[in-house]
């Protein structure tokens, strides 16, 4: 017998008639058939219904669960709720919701009225709390179970249905810890949300749509939200189910449910006392309830958002909760984090934790400062400007403490190019996260990152970043100087990629010279550009043009920044080194001697790391001694000095390309 909920009239018998019918009714027995199903055993019983394991032989062979309204004396509202439950199950198509397979009524007889029933897939599982204990579920598995529970309940919410009685006994789990399957059962007291879609659905449910009377108890007090415990049925919505899931989380992690009052002085508590306990329930953070510090942070926040007293402060429905649990599982930032917790910054820092171990003190200062500033965000909007200033100052202090990360032989804090690139990448990510990619500090950290990548021989990445920065600078009229500098650095990046990029680099160098000329003032980077041009000409085997360019770079430095400036001496060193490579050893030696004039050379072994000028001086001295050795003009003392200086430079910069040549000359 098939049941049509829309046309089923509500019972109209009075209480006396119902009692008489109940007294005469025969109970269902095992082995009886209901429709195509043979009852095998009773597996669950409620106040007015019973659930059997049943066997179906045709047209398919399978075992199912059959729920029957066994008490014929129940009032019309209970019967209507039972009828509505099967209609609601038919509305939701999700593997986490027990599906409606079939429904109807039992055969009516003189000793038994027709009883409504419906069949569902048989779920052979444990209640969620017992399953977790039985398989020793880890924290990650318990969170996965909660996520799948939220997905299932979210499917009901999407269909406009609120369960209203979520508790461990209504959540069954099957499978093992690797792939738990969660099924939500018993929608007997579910409520239809009063949305437009739900209202249209309710019209199809017909007379089985029930209006819960204000002040009636619906649900289990121990897992009720405050608004449900206050018997304010009109306020019960999807957020009430979210609250119940939060309490289930408390049970799974701490083995207790706050606000539970079943027994008072050895006597079973009254319904009123249980409802008052649920209504006034105060929840400590989950990590405190479970005495587990590993639950602090995201998990604490997620459960706290579920169990907020104000329904508007909770997740809007179980789908939003499932999304946040997924984000946490996949390592993404969660939505439940307090806005003033500095969580977004901490998340970025954690993602780059390997590189930031070398600057942990500076990063800790950033986090501490952000936490302090966050406490004042609730005050006047004017404090936001102050927050930006303080963050910028701290980032600048941290940046200065790192010293330059690019270039060679400059006394870098990080001598390993790979480590330097990793730290530069992390610092740039922090800047972007805190103050935005367009901030001047972020643009500067991007330049530092490009230099570090170039130094680490990651030229393709460096070139791409230089081109992006150059394009951005060219679009800003007030950044002509930055465009000239970035053009110079891009030329160097292309030059380091070999002769195949040299001609392209020469074209970019000419554009950079035009920018410097338009600026109308001398900059140190213009001297660097002239040296880069000379190196490119040498790569193209235009030796005469290359020497003229090296000489022009030296003359520019001598005229504009003085003959004794370290950049001038370096430019002269480049010229002398070119002469050495061309075989003009006498001219090269004279150039190195002139570059070294007036400088004191440190003696090896060095007591402390050499600074930039000291390294230049030692390099010039090594070149002079190496030429003397090649020309047969070096004494044993000269050779010993060259060997000692070579060892000292190698200890400070083992990647220096000149070391092997100096060692060979000293033999």
């Amino acid at each position: 017998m098939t049941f049509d909920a829309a046309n089923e009239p509500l019972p109209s018998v009075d209480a006396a008639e119902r009692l008489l019918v109940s007294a005469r009714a025969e109970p269902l027995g095992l082995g009886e058939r209901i429709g195509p199903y043979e009852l095998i055993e009773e597996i669950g019983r409620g106040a007015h219904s019973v659930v059997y394991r049943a066997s179906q032989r045709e047209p398919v062979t399978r075992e199912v669960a059959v729920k029957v309204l066994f008490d014929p004396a129940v009032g019309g509202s209970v019967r209507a709720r039972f009828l509505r439950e099967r209609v609601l199950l038919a509305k939701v198509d999700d593997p986490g919701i027990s599906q409606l397979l079939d429904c109807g009524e039992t055969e009516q007889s003189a000793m038994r009225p027709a009883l409504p029933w419906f069949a569902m897939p048989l779920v052979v599982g444990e209640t969620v709390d017992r399953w977790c204990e039985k398989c020793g579920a880890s924290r990650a598995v318990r969170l996965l179970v909660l996520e799948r529970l939220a997905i299932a309940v979210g499917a009901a919410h999407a269909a406009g249905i609120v369960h209203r009685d979520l508790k461990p006994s209504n959540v069954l789990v099957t499978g093992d810890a690797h792939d738990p399957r969660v099924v939500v059962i018993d929608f007997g007291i579910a409520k239809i949300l009063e949305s437009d879609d739900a209202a249209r659905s309710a019209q199809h449910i017909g007379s089985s749509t029930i209006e819960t009377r204000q002040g009636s108890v619906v649900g289990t007090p121990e897992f009720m939200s405050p608004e449900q415990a206050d018997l304010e049925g009109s306020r019960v919505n999807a957020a009430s189910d979210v609250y119940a899931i939060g309490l289930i989380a408390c049970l799974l992690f701490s083995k207790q449910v706050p606000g539970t009052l079943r027994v008072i002085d050895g006597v079973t508590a009254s319904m009123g006392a249980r409802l008052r306990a649920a209504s006034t329930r105060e929840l400590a953070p989950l990590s405190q309830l479970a005495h587990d510090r590993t639950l602090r942070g995201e998990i604490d926040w997620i459960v706290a958002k579920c169990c907020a007293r104000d329904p508007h402060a909770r997740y809007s429905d179980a789908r939003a909760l499932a999304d946040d649990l997924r984000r946490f599982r996949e390592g993404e930032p969660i939505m439940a984090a307090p806005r003033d917790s500095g969580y977004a910054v901490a998340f970025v820092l954690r993602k780059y934790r390997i590189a930031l171990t070398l600057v942990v003190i500076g990063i800790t200062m950033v986090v501490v400062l952000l936490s302090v500033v966050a406490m004042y965000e609730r005050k006047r909007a004017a404090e936001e400007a102050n927050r930006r200033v303080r963050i910028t100052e701290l980032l600048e202090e941290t940046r200065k403490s790192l010293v330059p990360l690019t270039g060679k032989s400059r006394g870098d804090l990080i001598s390993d190019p790979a480590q330097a690139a990793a730290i530069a990448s992390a610092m740039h990510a922090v800047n972007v996260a805190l103050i935005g990619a367009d901030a001047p500090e972020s643009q500067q950290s991007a330049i530092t990152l490009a230099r570090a990548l170039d130094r680490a021989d990651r030229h393709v990445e460096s070139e791409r970043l230089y081109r992006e920065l150059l394009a951005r600078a060219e679009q800003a009229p007030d950044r002509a100087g930055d465009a000239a500098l970035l053009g110079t650095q891009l030329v160097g990046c292309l030059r380091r990629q070999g002769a195949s990029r040299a001609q392209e680099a020469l074209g970019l160098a000419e554009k950079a010279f035009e920018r410097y000329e338009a600026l109308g003032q001398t900059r140190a980077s213009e001297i660097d550009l002239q040296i880069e041009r000379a190196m490119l000409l040498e790569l193209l085997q235009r030796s005469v043009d290359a020497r003229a360019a090296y000489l022009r770079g030296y003359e520019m430095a001598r005229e504009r920044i003085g003959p004794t400036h370290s950049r001038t001496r370096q430019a002269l060193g480049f010229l002398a080194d070119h002469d050495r490579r061309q075989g003009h050893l006498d001219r090269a030696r004279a150039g190195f001697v002139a570059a070294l004039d007036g400088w004191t050379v440190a003696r090896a072994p060095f007591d402390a790391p050499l600074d930039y000028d000291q390294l230049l001086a030692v390099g010039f001295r090594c070149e002079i001694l190496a030429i003397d050795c090649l020309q047969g003009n070096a004494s044993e003392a000269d050779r010993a000095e060259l060997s000692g200086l070579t060892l000292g430079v190698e200890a400070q910069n083992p990647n220096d390309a000149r070391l092997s040549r100096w060692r060979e000359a000293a033999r």
Side-chain angles (χ1 to χ4, degrees):
M1 178 177 180
T2 303
F3 172 71
D4 183 355
N7 298 316
E8 175 70 6
L10 292 178
S12 59
V13 295
D14 60 21
E17 291 174 326
R18 291 197 303 270
L19 289 174
L20 180 59
V21 172
S22 178
R24 294 185 307 186
E26 290 183 349
L28 291 169
L30 300 182
E32 285 195 50
R33 296 184 66 85
I34 295 181
Y37 309 104
E38 179 182 345
L39 304 183
I40 299 176
E41 66 172 325
E42 181 179 322
I43 58 176
R45 179 176 289 265
H48 304 290
S49 61
V50 62
V51 181
Y52 296 93
R53 180 167 66 92
S55 174
Q56 182 180 4
R57 302 299 183 189
E58 56 184 24
V60 295
T61 300
R62 59 181 173 179
E63 286 193 343
V64 299
V66 175
K67 185 172 183 179
V68 184
L69 183 65
F70 70 85
D71 186 355
V74 297
S77 63
V78 174
R79 180 183 177 90
R81 288 189 189 281
F82 185 90
L83 300 180
R84 183 180 63 173
E85 179 179 4
R86 61 192 194 181
V87 178
L88 295 182
L89 291 179
K91 288 185 61 182
V92 184
D93 182 16
D94 187 88
I97 301 295
S98 187
Q99 303 293 297
L100 181 72
L101 299 178
D102 194 3
C103 63
E105 289 192 353
T106 62
E107 293 293 335
Q108 184 172 354
S109 68
M111 298 303 296
R112 182 191 301 148
L115 301 175
W117 60 268
F118 60 87
M120 306 168 288
L122 180 65
V123 180
V124 183
E126 300 274 359
T127 61
V128 62
D129 52 337
R130 291 178 183 174
W131 184 89
C132 288
E133 290 301 316
K134 185 175 180 180
C135 71
S138 64
R139 186 188 76 173
V141 172
R142 291 171 194 252
L143 288 172
L144 180 58
V145 167
L146 287 171
E147 180 184 340
R148 293 186 176 179
L149 169 59
I151 291 172
V153 178
H157 291 170
I161 301 169
V162 180
H163 190 284
R164 291 203 295 188
D165 197 20
L166 289 175
K167 55 186 176 182
S169 60
N170 285 340
V171 180
L172 301 182
V173 185
T174 63
D176 56 26
H178 299 291
D179 186 23
R181 180 194 171 205
V182 179
V183 180
V184 179
I185 63 173
D186 197 353
F187 280 76
I189 61 171
K191 173 185 177 181
I192 299 177
L193 293 173
E194 296 179 355
S195 65
D196 292 340
D197 291 340
R200 286 193 292 270
S201 298
Q203 292 174 5
H204 294 291
I205 296 176
S207 61
S208 64
T209 301
I210 307 301
E211 179 65 30
T212 302
R213 295 191 305 274
Q214 192 74 9
S216 61
V217 178
V218 178
T220 304
E222 287 68 34
F223 290 89
M224 281 185 180
S225 63
E227 64 273 13
Q228 191 172 354
D230 286 338
L231 306 184
E232 298 181 22
S234 61
R235 295 180 59 206
V236 174
N237 55 23
S240 303
D241 280 352
V242 170
Y243 190 97
I245 297 175
L247 293 180
I248 292 174
C250 291
L251 179 63
L252 296 187
F253 285 101
S254 69
K255 300 182 180 180
Q256 60 178 304
V257 180
T260 299
L261 187 64
R262 285 187 175 273
V263 178
I264 304 176
D265 296 330
V267 180
T268 301
S270 67
M271 179 60 72
R274 293 166 63 191
L275 289 172
R276 284 192 296 274
S279 176
T280 59
R281 177 187 285 123
E282 294 290 342
L283 276 78
L286 180 60
S287 57
Q288 294 182 20
L289 288 174
H291 305 289
D292 186 351
R293 295 169 60 90
T294 65
L295 300 176
R296 290 183 176 179
E298 288 100 332
I299 300 177
D300 259 347
W301 295 335
I302 290 173
V303 175
K305 187 174 180 65
C306 289
C307 296
R309 287 196 61 83
D310 181 1
H312 297 95
R314 301 174 204 154
Y315 293 100
S316 58
D317 58 24
R319 292 172 295 178
L321 167 60
D323 284 343
D324 234 8
L325 288 168
R326 176 194 57 77
R327 289 188 193 96
F328 176 74
R329 175 168 52 82
E330 295 179 355
E332 299 178 6
I334 64 171
M335 303 303 294
R339 297 192 177 211
D340 60 350
S341 66
Y343 171 70
V345 176
F347 186 87
V348 172
L349 298 182
R350 183 173 62 188
K351 185 175 181 180
Y352 293 95
R353 60 186 179 277
I354 296 177
L356 290 173
T357 52
L358 298 175
V359 288
V360 64
I361 295 178
I363 298 303
T364 301
M365 292 173 62
V366 173
V367 175
V368 170
L369 180 58
L370 288 175
S371 298
V372 172
V373 173
M375 290 189 300
Y376 295 93
E377 286 181 344
R378 288 173 289 220
K379 296 184 178 181
R380 299 180 181 179
E383 293 188 0
E384 178 64 20
N386 182 50
R387 172 180 176 273
R388 292 282 182 173
V389 171
R390 296 175 69 183
I391 291 175
T392 302
E393 290 175 351
L394 179 57
L395 289 173
E396 184 62 26
E397 179 182 343
T398 304
R399 187 181 298 110
K400 288 180 179 178
S401 70
L402 289 175
V403 308
L405 293 175
T406 58
K408 297 183 178 180
S409 304
R410 295 186 181 181
D412 296 335
L413 177 66
I414 305 299
S415 59
D416 184 343
Q419 288 184 353
I423 292 177
S425 178
M427 289 303 298
H428 180 56
V430 170
N431 276 355
V432 171
L434 294 177
I435 55 181
D438 294 329
E441 293 83 354
S442 297
Q443 290 294 296
Q444 184 58 48
S445 64
I447 295 174
T448 300
L449 173 57
R451 291 173 176 169
L453 292 171
D454 197 10
R455 180 186 172 206
D457 296 330
R458 294 164 61 178
H459 303 303
V460 174
E461 298 171 70
S462 177
E463 178 186 345
R464 182 173 61 250
L465 186 51
Y466 273 134
R467 289 187 183 277
E468 291 175 0
L469 292 168
L470 178 58
R472 188 186 292 263
E474 287 175 338
Q475 293 173 0
D478 59 340
R479 295 189 60 195
D482 292 341
L485 172 62
L486 288 165
T488 300
Q489 293 169 336
L490 177 58
V491 167
C493 178
L494 294 176
R495 189 259 305 167
R496 281 181 282 275
Q497 295 180 49
S500 63
R501 307 297 301 275
Q503 197 62 49
E504 178 186 358
L506 276 177
L508 290 173
E510 294 305 320
K511 292 183 180 179
F513 277 124
E514 292 174 3
R515 291 192 182 98
Y516 284 118
E517 185 176 355
L519 288 172
Q521 52 182 323
T522 301
R523 299 198 175 194
S525 56
E526 186 177 1
I527 301 170
D528 295 338
L529 180 61
Q530 185 64 39
I531 298 299
E532 288 290 353
R533 182 174 180 274
M535 292 179 177
L536 290 168
L537 292 169
E538 189 171 358
L539 268 179
L540 294 172
Q541 299 183 358
R542 294 167 56 182
S543 177
V544 175
D545 293 338
R547 191 178 194 283
Y550 279 123
L551 181 60
R552 176 56 183 154
Y554 167 62
E555 291 173 346
M556 287 173 61
R558 183 181 178 88
E559 294 170 2
R560 300 178 184 182
I561 57 178
T564 60
H565 195 280
S566 58
R567 279 182 177 267
T568 305
R569 294 175 185 270
Q570 185 185 40
L572 182 54
F574 281 127
L575 175 61
D577 204 32
H578 173 75
D579 287 337
R580 178 193 62 76
R581 287 191 294 272
Q582 298 302 315
H584 304 299
L585 297 184
D586 290 337
R587 191 162 63 188
R589 188 183 191 282
F592 285 124
V593 169
L596 188 59
D597 184 42
W599 265 359
T600 301
V601 180
R603 297 292 179 182
F606 310 125
D607 296 332
L610 303 181
D611 62 21
Y612 177 58
D613 288 356
Q614 291 171 330
L615 276 173
L616 276 179
V618 169
F620 293 154
R621 178 59 180 166
C622 288
E623 293 290 4
I624 294 170
L625 292 172
I627 292 174
D628 288 344
C629 290
L630 290 174
Q631 291 182 327
N633 298 327
S635 64
E636 287 302 318
D638 291 337
R639 294 179 184 276
E641 181 184 359
L642 179 57
S643 295
L645 292 174
T646 300
L647 289 174
V649 173
E650 183 176 17
Q652 187 160 333
N653 187 5
N655 298 317
D656 195 318
R658 301 171 295 179
L659 295 174
S660 59
R661 179 164 52 80
W662 292 344
R663 279 194 294 267
E664 183 66 25
R667 293 177 183 173

